[in-house]
Amino acid sequence: MRDKLVFDLIEAEEQRQRKGLELIPSENYVSKEVLHALGSVFTNKYSEGYPNKRYYGGQVNTDKVEQLAIDRAKGLFKADHANVQPHSGATANEAVYHAWLEPGDTIMGMELSHGGHLTHGRPGTISAKLFNFVRYGIKDLETGELDYDLMRDVALKTRPKILLAGFSSFPRELDYAKFAKIADESGALLVADMSHIAGLIAGGVLANPFDYGFKIITTTTHKTLRGPRGAMILSKGLVGNPLKAVEKTVENLPTIIDRTVFPGIQGGPHMHVIAAKAVAFYEAGQDDYHEYCKQVLKNAKVLSDNLMKRGFKLITNGTDNHMLLADIKTSFGFDGSVAELTLDKIGLTLNKNVIPDDPLPPYRPSGIRLGTPAITTRGLKEEHMILIADWMHQAMKSYKDDQKLNSLANEVRDFAISFPLPSDH
Ligand code: DSN
């Protein structure tokens, strides 16, 4: 018997996605093929272990599909190894910390309000309880340049075992060569959490940290990479037998990571998700994906120029990637949660977000964060960014005027439904 309640909600969610525009920079629309793999019979299978080294029988197909995902991920990112089993970005980061560190060791990561992610040591998280986090941050809020001098000073003083490059709300490129120099001087292992921009790296439009001496990249697979919800850990080094303990050396990182993911942190891998990751990696290797990534950046640039023209104060005055961060409090006098709610009413979905050194709390922060990966997948081009900037501006000006918001909502809906969802194709 069909579960009407749940299937009605799935239908309602599809309609919501169809009738609105998705501007959350960490979201995307997957292809019909990724959805198909995700909903496949691989979900029925237990596969503890790794290809050809499993603890259960019946692995003739799972071994092949996981190996495909591994090989494709390695090819996309020029990695020596890929562990495609992490269920989420948080688990992937946790696994890397546990692979290389002992409790009490120090990790240097980005100041959280400057863009660092929760898993980069937010107080209250498991990582923050186990490890000691020290910080680097932005020096110049007008350009987004990091304070590399301070990073070096703190690194030499505190000798972190991991220097972590990565963010969930930072609209500029990082200078990986400077990270590498500081890690070299201070003896830290270079790790990049590229969750937000991995797709743009795979698509060849942003720099690859591996080209600068990084040893590990963690990433989710569902953001710019446009795959299923999940994560992976890419590494440089020798790929050994995951069933055998190895010495803790930089060369052995791939094997240490495999052993930390399973059996260290996770049990059975989600083979339906791994199959969907393999499909997404195949798609990311096609020529049209490179074009998609170029368009994501073009759209972000035009959207940011047009928002600034209309009085939105953008943190760092623009973007180098797919993401924009706007200081709503300075621009319009109310906080980011009001902006999020107002824009939700007109069918533009984005999220409230802290801005650097935000005086307001995370639940009612000063800013909003938005981006172009999903709308670019939907087929929107530069000229449409001007419309979005205009709708956002009108909504901010009329945030108390329900009639005006209703009329904007109709405009957005009529526009959005003219762009099919990728899963329609
Ligand atoms: N929630 C993700 C993001 O939006 O950046 C990171 O975990």
Side-chain angles (χ1 to χ4, degrees):
M1 211 169 34
R2 191 177 154 89
D3 178 347
K4 184 168 168 10
L5 290 178
V6 169
F7 285 97
D8 281 356
L9 286 170
I10 292 173
E11 172 60 23
E13 175 59 16
E14 190 179 318
Q15 289 307 322
R16 186 195 69 80
Q17 293 187 15
R18 192 180 296 288
K19 290 176 182 167
L21 295 178
E22 185 52 70
L23 294 166
I24 293 177
S26 48
E27 294 188 11
N28 215 325
Y29 303 100
V30 299
S31 67
K32 196 179 235 170
E33 287 73 21
V34 168
L35 271 186
H36 188 170
L38 203 51
S40 70
V41 290
F42 274 120
T43 196
N44 297 333
K45 191 73 196 100
Y46 253 128
S47 313
E48 278 101 328
Y50 289 100
N52 303 313
K53 293 181 178 60
R54 307 281 188 188
Y55 291 85
Y56 288 64
Q59 307 292 346
V60 60
N61 301 309
T62 48
D63 277 355
K64 286 183 188 142
V65 86
E66 183 167 355
Q67 196 59 51
L68 272 176
I70 291 169
D71 292 342
R72 288 173 181 172
K74 282 163 58 180
L76 285 176
F77 292 91
K78 296 187 266 180
D80 292 331
H81 187 50
N83 185 307
V84 297
Q85 296 193 2
H87 301 323
S88 74
T91 315
N93 285 347
E94 202 64 39
V96 168
Y97 301 157
H98 281 273
W100 192 241
L101 307 177
E102 299 301 326
D105 281 347
T106 297
I107 302 172
M108 185 174 213
M110 196 166 191
E111 180 62 41
L112 299 179
S113 85
H114 289 208
H117 185 247
L118 299 179
T119 57
H120 305 167
R122 183 185 185 279
T125 58
I126 298 271
S127 328
K129 285 180 186 161
L130 283 176
F131 306 113
N132 170 42
F133 282 83
V134 293
R135 300 284 169 206
Y136 59 85
I138 301 174
K139 177 167 76 178
D140 182 351
L141 286 177
E142 296 303 314
T143 63
E145 194 199 344
L146 298 188
D147 195 338
Y148 291 100
D149 293 333
L150 190 63
M151 185 192 287
R152 179 175 178 275
D153 287 350
V154 176
L156 291 177
K157 208 172 288 166
T158 61
R159 299 281 169 184
K161 291 232 171 99
I162 285 178
L163 177 52
L164 180 62
F167 49 79
S168 67
S169 56
F170 180 68
R172 295 293 179 182
E173 266 276 58
L174 300 173
D175 188 336
Y176 300 120
K178 286 192 177 152
F179 273 85
K181 196 159 179 295
I182 293 167
D184 196 38
E185 277 186 82
S186 61
L189 179 76
L190 277 171
V191 178
D193 175 351
M194 295 291 104
S195 292
H196 261 269
I197 57 172
L200 303 173
I201 295 170
V205 300
L206 290 185
N208 183 342
F210 281 144
D211 292 338
Y212 297 83
F214 280 66
K215 298 294 180 198
I216 298 175
I217 294 179
T218 62
T219 180
T220 46
T221 46
H222 48 272
K223 296 186 173 91
T224 45
L225 204 42
R226 221 161 56 177
R229 203 149 283 277
M232 67 176 156
I233 305 171
L234 302 148
S235 52
K236 289 281 191 186
L238 300 168
V239 186
N241 180 351
L243 301 182
K244 283 200 183 141
V246 287
E247 206 190 332
K248 200 178 196 180
T249 61
V250 173
E251 288 68 36
N252 285 333
L253 277 170
T255 317
I256 300 170
I257 288 167
D258 277 350
R259 292 173 60 80
T260 311
V261 172
F262 174 83
I265 288 187
Q266 291 189 172
H270 294 176
M271 291 312 302
H272 57 307
V273 182
I274 289 175
K277 287 174 185 172
V279 175
F281 301 158
Y282 167 81
E283 291 174 358
Q286 306 305 306
D287 291 343
D288 61 351
Y289 186 79
H290 173 64
E291 293 309 312
Y292 160 71
C293 290
K294 285 203 299 198
Q295 192 64 48
V296 167
L297 296 191
K298 278 191 217 163
N299 283 351
K301 177 91 179 68
V302 176
L303 184 55
S304 94
D305 288 348
N306 278 279
L307 286 172
M308 287 191 289
K309 262 187 217 161
R310 288 162 179 77
F312 284 79
K313 168 71 186 153
L314 293 192
I315 303 298
T316 82
N317 294 309
T319 180
D320 295 331
N321 56 31
H322 62 297
M323 185 192 316
L324 292 67
L325 199 59
D327 177 351
I328 293 296
K329 186 79 181 165
T330 300
S331 313
F332 300 103
F334 46 85
D335 66 60
S337 67
V338 175
E340 178 192 292
L341 204 66
T342 304
L343 292 164
D344 241 355
K345 285 184 187 165
I346 70 164
L348 299 180
T349 310
L350 45 67
N351 64 280
K352 56 181 168 286
N353 212 93
V354 291
I355 59 169
D357 308 316
D358 203 330
L360 297 181
Y363 197 68
R364 297 195 59 191
S366 298
I368 54 171
R369 188 188 66 154
L370 64 156
T372 53
I375 49 174
T376 306
T377 296
R378 196 93 183 257
L380 273 62
K381 298 277 191 313
E382 288 94 318
E383 63 269 27
H384 308 126
M385 300 304 114
I386 301 170
L387 290 175
I388 293 175
D390 214 42
W391 285 323
M392 286 178 64
H393 181 234
Q394 291 190 57
M396 293 300 93
K397 288 289 181 201
S398 324
Y399 76 105
K400 289 184 176 159
D401 180 347
D402 281 340
Q403 207 176 347
K404 176 69 181 172
L405 294 178
N406 277 341
S407 129
L408 289 172
N410 289 338
E411 271 183 56
V412 172
R413 190 200 52 229
D414 290 349
F415 173 82
I417 56 179
S418 66
F419 291 87
L421 294 178
S423 46
D424 294 336
H425 296 305

